[in-house]
Amino acid sequence: MSGLVKLADPLALGSVTIRNRVFLAPMSGVTDEAFRRRAHAHGAGLVVSEMVASGELARGRLDSGRRVRHSGLPVHMVQLAGREAGHMAEAARIAEAEGADIIDINMGCPAKKVTGGYSGSALMRDPDHALTLIDAVVGAVDVPVTLKMRLGWDETALNAPTLARRAEQAGVRMITVHGRTRCQFYKGRADWRAIARVKAAITVPLVANGDVGIPADAAAALELSGADAVMIGRASYGAPWAPGDIARAAGSSAGNAAPARGRDLADYVVSHYEDMLSLYGTESGLRQARKHLGWYIDRHAPELPAGLRATIMTEHDTGRVIAGLREAFMPGADVQQEQAAA
């Protein structure tokens, strides 16, 4: 794993120092404040907000405002999506006023509801227009601006190297590339070798994204792409500690190890659930938390009886959900001891 060594090094973007080079990807509906705090506590070098729709933020939508709110972590990074330069600039100014240390521009999201609005990876089909958005954001704020993209729209338009070079010339300070086209969505394998063509086109730091989940993946991605850092996305579902695990494998001393199976894991999942209830309020938090609870179960308790899983995933009584989680993740003896103590 010698190729991992550089991932433990800090990375500077202007006056911002990132403690290591293993990042948590921005994921809509996933990387809210509760999730980011956990990933950071486990040693992720950088965590990024959920994608924020610039038009909604500029118009004052409450949920968008919550997404850009400062979480109290050492580096606050906000990702913006949109198609209108004015909205992107105004959203960037709002995020900076909320304490954002870095603004990221989304040109990689493949979701139809995003690309259908000519945002996300759809912008890679119109590089000239994409550059107007980059110019607007860079010109609106004093903090570093970064960019996340894919290899291109499809296999006939692999224009990431050209767009990355133009983005750097416009003032972008770091570029992340997911090693798939938009039309691939998440099918097949990420092409880390193709990311190397972007590395050859730029001088700013490059982050490799796509199918990195364990230290061996990170080492291979670095070798094949020549990237300066890696970004972890879906591998963190049900495992907010995944980026930190890779960082520690590289030699980073930051963060806490994953919770041990049994009581520690049960306490951890319950705490995450309670934090989401606090963040969103009970009614919305119940709904928002279910995908996370499902991922924890899929990853750590896949043999859970269907009836217990259904209780956890559908029950509206939070006390019953918590009792179900403890039963799911704690050995029987531990559950009995806890019930007796209660």
Side-chain angles (χ1 to χ4, degrees):
M1 296 288 180
S2 59
L4 287 174
V5 172
K6 72 177 179 180
L7 293 181
D9 294 337
L11 179 65
L13 293 184
S15 61
V16 180
T17 299
I18 301 167
R19 63 179 177 178
N20 66 56
R21 301 177 183 222
V22 186
F23 306 158
L24 175 69
M27 293 178 283
S28 186
V30 180
T31 55
D32 58 19
E33 184 176 325
F35 198 93
R36 296 197 307 274
R37 284 184 174 277
R38 278 166 173 72
H40 178 268
H42 287 295
L46 184 66
V47 298
V48 192
S49 77
E50 301 174 78
M51 178 181 68
V52 180
S54 59
E56 293 184 1
L57 181 60
R59 289 190 290 270
R61 283 284 299 271
L62 179 62
D63 56 343
S64 296
R66 180 174 56 225
R67 289 186 177 197
V68 301
R69 184 178 61 197
H70 203 297
S71 60
L73 299 178
V75 178
H76 182 45
M77 184 171 181
V78 173
Q79 187 187 71
L80 300 176
R83 176 157 179 91
E84 300 296 331
H87 285 161
M88 289 290 286
E90 179 61 17
R93 284 189 285 266
I94 293 170
E96 184 180 37
E98 288 289 329
D101 301 292
I102 304 171
I103 304 291
D104 187 59
I105 300 173
N106 183 316
M107 295 189 185
C109 180
K112 290 182 180 179
K113 67 179 181 180
V114 176
T115 60
Y118 303 103
S119 298
S121 55
L123 291 165
M124 298 193 73
R125 305 181 77 177
D126 189 353
D128 289 341
H129 181 68
L131 262 293
T132 67
L133 306 185
I134 293 171
D135 286 337
V137 174
V138 170
V141 297
D142 294 324
V143 299
V145 175
T146 63
L147 175 65
K148 191 171 189 292
M149 66 172 79
R150 289 195 164 219
L151 296 175
W153 179 259
D154 59 27
E155 292 295 329
T156 69
L158 301 177
N159 60 346
T162 301
L163 180 56
R165 182 171 58 249
R166 294 181 66 184
E168 179 181 2
Q169 292 168 351
V172 164
R173 306 292 291 273
M174 182 173 74
I175 293 171
T176 300
V177 179
H178 182 116
R180 291 181 174 87
T181 66
R182 182 273 174 182
C183 290
Q184 284 181 275
F185 285 86
Y186 296 99
K187 296 177 181 177
R189 289 289 300 174
D191 189 347
W192 298 326
R193 283 189 175 89
I195 296 175
R197 294 194 286 273
V198 181
K199 176 65 175 176
I202 61 176
T203 62
V204 295
L206 174 71
V207 185
N209 177 221
D211 295 341
V212 177
I214 60 174
D217 297 334
L222 288 176
E223 179 181 358
L224 295 175
S225 69
D228 303 284
V230 295
M231 182 172 276
I232 317 304
R234 291 170 296 152
S236 65
Y237 289 2
W241 50 83
D245 281 353
I246 295 174
R248 281 188 298 281
S252 173
S253 60
N256 306 315
R261 288 183 178 273
R263 184 182 297 274
D264 286 350
L265 180 59
D267 288 345
Y268 186 95
V269 177
V270 168
S271 176
H272 191 172
Y273 178 63
E274 291 175 335
D275 282 353
M276 293 194 72
L277 298 179
S278 177
L279 178 63
Y280 295 103
T282 300
E283 183 176 352
S284 178
L286 280 167
R287 298 192 304 271
Q288 298 282 353
R290 283 171 179 158
K291 56 180 167 289
H292 293 277
L293 301 184
W295 291 328
Y296 282 122
I297 291 169
D298 290 344
R299 186 181 288 266
H300 307 290
E303 304 301 322
L304 194 69
L308 180 54
R309 181 187 177 105
T311 296
I312 292 170
M313 299 300 290
T314 62
E315 178 60 60
H316 290 274
D317 184 313
T318 59
R320 291 181 180 177
V321 174
I322 290 170
L325 291 171
R326 295 203 178 279
E327 184 176 350
F329 295 108
M330 288 170 62
D334 284 351
V335 174
Q336 292 172 10
Q337 290 173 10
E338 182 152 305
Q339 289 173 341

